[in-house]
């Protein structure tokens, strides 16, 4: 009985990898890499590794860990282009989605301070409620007769915005200076090209599969019992972080 246990465990692990590739990674990679197909046809192994958007091995290792996941272990690292990645990992017991600029060092890519970390509520809100709004602004960006300005609050002064003349989707934390009634952007954020935004949307499929239970259990702040009236909203530092204010974009 003991001799078959390791074999059975290895077979189950192989099946999980097969299902992961067939149902998650292959479809997502086809979407994410549509612009890279011709380059990958060269079958140059070094070039293929460089252009791979989804890091299968890192994600599979996290789904099939040798030991328990440690604080800071990555569940996935999804490449958006130009060394920008979507990274899913836990920090101080809180699962976060990082959209971050990496740089290449002697030991490979490493994260920089340029980027933003969203908790699951903010990420879910971006995915489920506002991705289509951003798409509308992106699709109408070159139409002179369309008002493409878009600024959406994800909570706690984190905003995603599109505004002419810069063709970018900006995801950033803002703050309210003393003696001011206008919020201003901080350095905690990242501006994505429209192509990187499309890759970010496709990465949502992978993140959803990896933490589907956690996302399903995540409740929007606005839907909690203490937000049943306006006073609950006004008193919430997440929904109304700067007090009784209206912002003009």
């Amino acid at each position: 009985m003991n001799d078959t246990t390791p074999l059975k465990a290895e077979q189950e692990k192989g099946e999980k990898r097969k299902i992961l590739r067939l149902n998650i990674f292959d479809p997502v990679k086809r979407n994410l890499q549509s612009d890279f197909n011709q380059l990958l046809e060269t079958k140059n192994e070094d070039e293929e590794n460089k252009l791979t958007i989804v890091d299968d091995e890192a994600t599979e290792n996290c789904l099939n860990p040798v030991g328990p996941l440690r604080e800071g272990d990555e569940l996935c690292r999804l490449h958006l282009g130009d060394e920008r990645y979507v990274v899913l990992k836990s920090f101080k017991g809180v699962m976060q989605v990082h959209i971050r600029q990496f740089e290449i060092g002697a030991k490979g890519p490493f994260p920089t301070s340029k980027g933003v970390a969203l908790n699951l509520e903010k990420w879910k809100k971006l995915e489920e409620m506002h991705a289509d709004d951003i798409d509308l602004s992106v699709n109408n960006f070159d139409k002179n007769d369309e008002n493409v300005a878009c600024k959406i609050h994800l909570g706690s002064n984190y905003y995603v915005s599109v505004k002419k003349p810069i063709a970018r989707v900006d995801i950033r934390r803002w703050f309210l200076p003393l003696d001011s009634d206008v919020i201003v952007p901080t350095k905690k954020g990242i501006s994505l090209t429209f192509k990187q935004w499309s890759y970010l949307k496709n990465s949502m499929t992978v993140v959803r599969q990896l933490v589907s239970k956690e996302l399903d259990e995540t409740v929007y702040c606005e839907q909690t019992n203490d937000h049943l009236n306006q006073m609950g909203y006004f008193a919430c530092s997440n929904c109304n972080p700067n007090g009784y204010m209206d912002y003009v974009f």
Side-chain angles (χ1 to χ4, degrees):
M1 182 71 177
N2 291 336
D3 293 337
T4 61
T5 301
L7 177 60
K8 184 177 179 182
E10 188 62 31
Q11 289 174 339
E12 291 177 351
K13 184 176 180 180
E15 285 299 315
K16 288 176 68 176
R17 283 187 179 144
K18 183 178 179 182
I19 292 172
L20 183 69
R21 277 206 176 87
L22 289 176
N23 296 339
I24 303 176
F25 286 117
D26 284 351
V28 171
K29 286 175 74 174
R30 280 197 295 272
N31 290 333
L32 291 174
Q33 294 183 285
S34 59
D35 295 319
F36 296 102
N37 287 341
Q38 302 237 336
L39 289 174
L40 293 179
E41 284 174 2
T42 62
K43 300 187 183 297
N44 183 311
E45 188 171 337
D46 292 337
E47 196 68 9
E48 182 172 351
N49 289 336
K50 185 167 117 179
L51 294 173
T52 295
I53 300 295
V54 180
D55 189 343
D56 296 345
E57 182 178 357
T59 306
E60 287 181 7
N61 288 342
C62 289
L63 291 176
N64 303 279
V66 177
L69 287 175
R70 298 167 300 176
E71 179 77 11
D73 282 349
E74 295 179 357
L75 272 72
C76 67
R77 184 189 294 181
L78 312 175
H79 191 201
L80 305 178
D82 296 330
E83 299 306 325
R84 294 179 170 193
Y85 291 85
V86 172
V87 177
L88 178 64
K89 65 179 182 178
S90 176
F91 178 70
K92 294 184 178 180
V94 178
M95 189 63 68
Q96 295 180 326
V97 182
H98 292 255
I99 309 166
R100 195 159 299 280
Q101 179 75 51
F102 278 59
E103 290 184 0
I104 303 296
K107 297 182 179 180
F110 64 92
T112 70
S113 60
K114 183 177 181 180
V116 66
L118 304 178
N119 62 23
L120 291 187
E121 184 197 0
K122 294 179 179 66
W123 176 261
K124 182 178 179 179
K125 190 175 289 186
L126 178 61
E127 175 194 7
E128 293 186 349
M129 297 178 63
H130 301 306
D132 290 344
D133 297 325
I134 299 301
D135 279 345
L136 183 62
S137 290
V138 169
N139 294 336
N140 290 330
F141 192 84
D142 292 327
K143 299 178 182 179
N144 294 329
D145 59 337
E146 295 285 350
N147 181 13
V148 301
C150 175
K151 186 178 181 183
I152 297 169
H153 188 216
L154 300 177
S156 302
N157 270 342
Y158 285 81
Y159 285 84
V160 54
S161 60
V162 178
K163 187 179 182 181
K164 285 188 175 182
I166 304 174
R168 293 288 189 274
V169 176
D170 191 73
I171 305 174
R172 189 169 304 277
R173 188 172 189 179
W174 293 55
F175 86 106
L176 180 67
L178 293 175
D179 302 322
S180 175
D181 58 357
V182 178
I183 56 174
V184 296
T186 71
K187 293 182 179 180
K188 292 183 179 180
I190 193 164
S191 288
L192 304 176
T193 65
F194 290 165
K195 184 176 292 185
Q196 289 167 351
W197 164 250
S198 70
Y199 292 159
L200 177 69
K201 287 193 305 171
N202 285 322
S203 76
M204 292 173 178
T205 303
V206 177
V207 174
R208 169 67 63 172
Q209 292 291 338
L210 293 175
V211 288
S212 58
K213 181 176 182 292
E214 291 85 349
L215 283 170
D216 289 342
E217 293 175 350
T218 298
V219 178
Y220 295 132
C221 187
E222 297 90 335
Q223 297 175 342
T224 56
N225 291 333
D226 57 357
H227 283 56
L228 295 179
N229 55 55
Q230 287 186 337
M231 290 307 299
Y233 165 81
F234 286 130
C236 178
S237 61
N238 180 56
C239 297
N240 190 35
N242 305 306
Y244 301 85
M245 294 181 59
D246 292 321
Y247 304 124
V248 178
F249 185 57

